[in-house]
């Protein structure tokens, strides 16, 4: 599914040197290794502030809390994402309100969000938290319109989308604040847990910085209840090295995705969708958006049987995500039930992520597509 060693081998010495400098400086938490990464990331993304933190989950919480979202506030998000998109809202003390997804991109559907905003809600809605799922930005034109119309905050869950763009603006520079994850499987990855908050607001950045370090502006003077959400120096140093390569890696992912499209079409398996019939619905890149293909996700009707067939042939695949968030045991208290979000539920039954990473070879992709063709025949 993902061979991280292929990325590591050519960077081996550069990474060892970077880690060595942190050891020499004995600066293990925040400090210059993290500050240098923050400056480079902010400049690359075209955003005023980037703040390194301990994980993508903490980045989401920090972004929400620093934007002033808390108890008594509602935040609209998607039921089709990793658990943290919703749990971070709860962690901030706010109430997640869900809206269904678009069947073609799997991203939060702005029309469904608009319907939620117009309907009576148990709490006032203060923010929308769209997720740039699989590496493609949510429809930011539509969400910006809703932001203005309803006077809301927009927080990006950009955990899967470092380098993605919407109409020429990079993920991380679109919303009031954004959260990134550098979990080792992400397209920009640390050597452990790490994340980042970005924002163009000086006030929000200052507040996030304070909350990241137990609510301290001055050492041992606590203005608010923050948390320990700091980034390690080692992660900052490693990420600074990888930042130099991320554009090339994202470009290589785009090539891999294009090759999959071509191979599936040549094999006569591609269907126009949005739902699968006998074959495979290929993932769709929206006009004006730059997808970074964190995942290459097909839709297919007999998904579980196909996955078992691929596993037998030692071909990796994954289901992101098998259970929509409104049907998770831990989120029962939100009061949703099966049937509330039919697009998310259908996607959870049909999606299958195929191997994709910058170093994936064409012959390996041919093997994957040949196996899917064999199963479908
Ligand atoms: C969409 C999304 N949001 C949030 C997160 C949380 O990031 P982390 O695992 O770094 O805490 C992830 C990563 O798993 C993710 O995919």
């Amino acid at each position: 599914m993902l061979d991280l060693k292929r990325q590591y081998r050519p960077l081996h010495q550069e990474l060892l040197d970077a880690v060595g400098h942190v050891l020499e400086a004995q600066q293990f938490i925040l400090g210059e290794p993290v500050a240098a990464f923050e400056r480079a990331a902010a400049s690359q993304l075209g955003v005023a502030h980037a703040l390194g933190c301990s994980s993508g989950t903490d980045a989401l919480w920090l972004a929400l809390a620093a934007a002033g979202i808390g108890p008594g506030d509602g935040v609209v998000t998607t039921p089709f994402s990793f658990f943290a998109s919703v749990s971070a809202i709860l962690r901030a003390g706010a109430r997640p309100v869900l809206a269904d997804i678009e069947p073609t991109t799997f991203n939060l559907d702005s029309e469904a969000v608009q319907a939620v905003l117009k309907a009576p809600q148990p709490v006032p809605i203060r923010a929308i938290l769209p997720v740039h799922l699989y590496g493609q930005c949510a429809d930011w034109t539509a969400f910006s319109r809703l932001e203005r119309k309803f006077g809301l905050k927009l927080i990006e869950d950009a955990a899967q989308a470092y380098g993605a763009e919407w109409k020429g603006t990079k993920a991380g520079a679109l919303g009031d604040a954004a959260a990134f994850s550098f979990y080792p499987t992400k397209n920009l990855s640390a050597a452990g847990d790490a994340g980042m908050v970005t924002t163009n607001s000086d006030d929000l950045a200052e507040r996030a910085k304070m909350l990241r370090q137990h609510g301290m502006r001055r050492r041992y003077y606590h203005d608010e209840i923050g948390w320990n959400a700091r980034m390690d120096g080692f992660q900052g140093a490693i990420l600074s090295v990888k930042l130099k390569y991320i554009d090339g890696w994202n470009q290589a992912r785009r090539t891999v995705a294009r090759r999959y499209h071509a191979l599936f079409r040549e094999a006569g398996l591609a269907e126009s969708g949005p739902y699968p019939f006998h074959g495979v619905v290929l993932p769709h890149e929206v006009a004006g958006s730059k997808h970074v293909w964190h995942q290459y996700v097909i839709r297919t009707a007999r998904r579980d049987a196909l996955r078992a067939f691929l596993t037998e042939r030692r071909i990796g695949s994954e289901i992101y995500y098998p259970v929509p968030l409104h049907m998770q045991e831990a989120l029962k208290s939100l009061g949703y039930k099966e049937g509330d979000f039919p697009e998310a539920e259908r996607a959870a039954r049909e999606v299958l992520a195929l191997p994709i990473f910058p170093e994936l070879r064409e012959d390996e992709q041919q093997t994957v597509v040949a196996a899917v063709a064999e199963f479908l025949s």
Side-chain angles (χ1 to χ4, degrees):
M1 187 65 186
L2 171 62
D3 184 357
L4 284 170
K5 288 186 182 155
R6 292 191 206 174
Q7 183 193 79
Y8 170 65
R9 276 187 213 112
L11 298 185
H12 167 86
Q13 197 52 52
E14 214 178 334
L15 289 171
L16 280 186
D17 290 348
V19 167
H21 286 135
V22 177
L23 284 170
E24 286 299 328
Q26 293 283 298
Q27 267 195 328
F28 297 121
I29 293 174
L30 295 174
E32 185 47 29
V34 172
F37 166 67
E38 291 173 339
R39 287 192 297 273
S43 144
Q44 193 174 56
L45 298 178
V47 68
H49 304 278
L51 295 170
C53 63
S54 39
S55 69
T57 306
D58 280 335
L60 276 171
W61 165 71
L62 273 173
L64 287 160
I69 305 298
D73 298 333
V75 179
V76 186
T77 193
T78 164
F80 196 61
S81 179
F82 180 61
F83 186 69
S85 306
V86 162
S87 64
I89 297 171
L90 290 163
R91 169 78 180 79
R95 185 186 172 108
V97 179
L98 303 178
D100 213 350
I101 58 166
E102 303 168 339
T104 45
T105 64
F106 308 102
N107 275 328
L108 187 61
D109 181 345
S110 63
E111 308 246 322
V113 172
Q114 168 141 312
V116 164
L117 294 172
K118 285 184 167 165
Q121 296 296 338
V123 285
I125 305 295
R126 294 273 317 281
I128 311 174
L129 193 154
V131 179
H132 304 321
L133 200 70
Y134 305 147
Q136 172 156 248
C137 289
D139 181 346
W140 219 259
T141 310
F143 288 117
S144 301
R145 213 176 296 128
L146 293 181
E147 175 186 35
R148 286 191 299 274
K149 184 167 170 192
F150 292 90
L152 305 169
K153 292 246 159 51
L154 285 185
I155 311 291
E156 301 170 62
D157 183 338
Q160 304 185 359
Y162 192 98
E165 293 177 19
W166 183 263
K167 309 227 158 121
T169 301
K170 288 226 159 67
L174 293 163
D176 293 285
F180 289 88
S181 165
F182 305 124
Y183 184 79
T185 60
K186 296 292 192 268
N187 65 324
L188 176 62
S189 63
D193 273 315
M196 177 173 76
V197 175
T198 56
T199 181
N200 277 316
S201 156
D202 296 347
D203 290 347
L204 201 149
E206 196 272 335
R207 188 125 195 268
K209 214 171 187 169
M210 177 268 291
L211 291 169
R212 167 177 79 171
Q213 181 114 273
H214 284 297
M216 289 190 284
R217 288 191 169 85
R218 256 196 313 158
R219 208 166 167 77
Y220 304 129
Y221 290 79
H222 302 267
D223 302 337
E224 284 188 57
I225 310 289
W227 208 245
N228 172 359
R230 301 174 297 229
M231 182 186 270
D232 283 349
F234 287 132
Q235 305 306 348
I238 284 168
L239 286 162
S240 286
V241 170
K242 293 195 177 183
L243 267 195
K244 294 187 266 175
Y245 300 97
I246 184 66
D247 284 345
W249 290 334
N250 281 341
Q251 203 47 47
R253 284 174 182 273
R254 291 175 60 78
T255 303
V256 171
R258 255 200 316 273
R259 268 195 322 239
Y260 266 134
H261 293 340
L263 288 167
F264 276 114
R265 286 193 186 115
E266 280 161 23
L269 303 175
E271 291 179 351
S272 54
Y275 309 112
F277 189 50
H278 287 308
V280 163
V281 176
L282 303 181
H284 173 71
E285 183 174 27
V286 173
S289 112
K290 185 174 169 204
H291 201 320
V292 291
W293 300 100
H294 172 56
Q295 298 298 343
Y296 187 90
V297 177
I298 59 169
R299 286 186 94 124
T300 186
R302 290 189 296 138
R303 190 268 316 273
D304 292 336
L306 171 60
R307 183 158 194 236
F309 185 86
L310 294 177
T311 305
E312 251 172 48
R313 279 152 187 75
R314 300 173 48 79
I315 294 173
S317 65
E318 193 47 87
I319 300 168
Y320 306 109
Y321 297 90
V323 182
L325 297 175
H326 67 289
M327 289 162 61
Q328 293 285 353
E329 187 65 27
L331 299 174
K332 261 187 178 162
S333 63
L334 296 180
Y336 295 108
K337 58 181 188 320
E338 190 168 355
D340 283 348
F341 305 106
E343 293 296 353
E345 290 168 28
R346 181 160 191 172
R349 290 193 298 271
E350 294 178 348
V351 293
L352 190 64
L354 300 178
I356 189 164
F357 50 96
E359 303 81 7
L360 188 68
R361 297 190 313 267
E362 185 163 0
D363 62 300
E364 293 171 313
Q365 292 188 262
Q366 282 164 347
T367 304
V368 174
V369 176
V372 176
E374 189 187 339
F375 173 80
L376 292 173
S377 69

